[in-house]
Amino acid sequence: MKEYDSNLPLVVIHVPKTAGVSVRGIYKSWYSDGLLFHYYDAVKGAMPQKYDLVGMHSNERPVAVYGHFNKARGFGVEHYYPDAKQFVTILRDPFERAVSAYFYLRKQGREASRIPDGDLREYVLGPRVSILNQFPCEVTMDNYQEIIESLFIEVGVTEHLDESMARIANKIHKEYQPGTLLHLNATERDQSMIPADLKEEFMANKQLDYAIYNYVRAKYD
């Protein structure tokens, strides 16, 4: 993947339900008040704040913007920072992530309209759960490898989270002590609600999501 350019701000894409709350504290320790947040406020119905990343960034005070980017909901990278040059993110098995997101939304009781009739199958097979919505540009079967290698400094996976954070730290010249991550914001799930055939159907429905995930996962396995 590409080398980190300390002269440019960093965009950290927090894909929902990929341990983003757990690793956020690590980034805060790295960037201090230079860590800016990009989250939709579901309570107020407010879109994320937009920052002048280039104007705020310097080698003495590096800037990173961290949060949920989702082009399907109008606050994707291209909507806010179309000129961004370098990214970091962490992925997770797409099915496990989709199921976790479903149970999280049900538990929170917010944005209930995003859960179709409370049905797990309809939710995970729908377009909203795709990781393609978080990427900084249009992703296809033909270009996903090029996008990962040319735009991302590092892409981690939750299944190798400690190693992922160590690799990210090394690339952006930060210190990380393995074993220091706390497991935060975990969501319990009712396994009886997950049909035995649902993952197979999901994988057939989300082939590009799995191509991206497997490509990254292979770098760790």
Side-chain angles (χ1 to χ4, degrees), residues 98 116 120-130 133 202 205-206:
L120 173 63
R121 182 183 296 273
E122 185 178 351
Y123 177 79
V124 302
L125 296 179
R128 291 177 174 177
V129 301
S130 175
N133 294 324
F202 179 91
N205 190 266
K206 296 286 190 294

Side-chain angles (χ1 to χ4, degrees), residues 68-211:
H68 294 326
F69 292 86
N70 192 321
K71 65 182 179 183
R73 302 181 66 197
F75 49 89
V77 173
E78 63 266 56
H79 298 119
Y80 277 71
Y81 308 110
D83 297 324
K85 304 295 185 185
Q86 53 187 5
F87 301 86
V88 168
T89 194
I90 292 175
L91 303 180
R92 180 181 180 182
D93 180 288
F95 179 73
E96 294 301 320
R97 191 191 76 81
V99 171
S100 182
Y102 173 83
F103 284 105
Y104 174 77
L105 287 171
R106 284 175 61 89
K107 177 183 177 181
Q108 292 298 307
R110 296 199 302 259
E111 301 182 272
S113 63
R114 295 174 61 201
I115 307 176
D117 302 322
D119 181 79
L120 173 63
R121 182 183 296 273
E122 185 178 351
Y123 177 79
V124 302
L125 296 179
R128 291 177 174 177
V129 301
S130 175
I131 59 174
L132 306 182
N133 294 324
Q134 279 80 43
F135 269 70
C137 56
E138 197 68 27
V139 185
T140 68
M141 279 291 190
D142 293 326
N143 72 7
Y144 73 88
Q145 294 184 19
E146 179 184 358
I147 287 173
I148 289 171
E149 299 296 341
S150 65
L151 292 181
F152 285 85
I153 292 166
E154 190 61 68
V155 179
V157 291
T158 58
E159 294 82 0
H160 296 283
L161 190 55
D162 237 7
E163 183 181 351
S164 296
M165 292 307 298
R167 290 190 188 189
I168 292 168
N170 181 62
K171 290 294 290 283
I172 64 176
H173 315 305
K174 301 293 185 181
E175 295 291 332
Y176 173 71
Q177 184 63 42
T180 58
L181 270 175
L182 300 176
H183 192 195
L184 304 174
N185 204 34
T187 304
E188 293 184 6
R189 61 176 71 173
D190 182 353
Q191 293 294 134
S192 67
M193 293 180 62
I194 306 175
D197 64 336
L198 184 55
K199 183 170 184 177
E200 183 176 346
E201 186 176 357
F202 179 91
M203 293 178 71
N205 190 266
K206 296 286 190 294
Q207 293 183 31
L208 180 52
D209 289 62
Y210 265 100

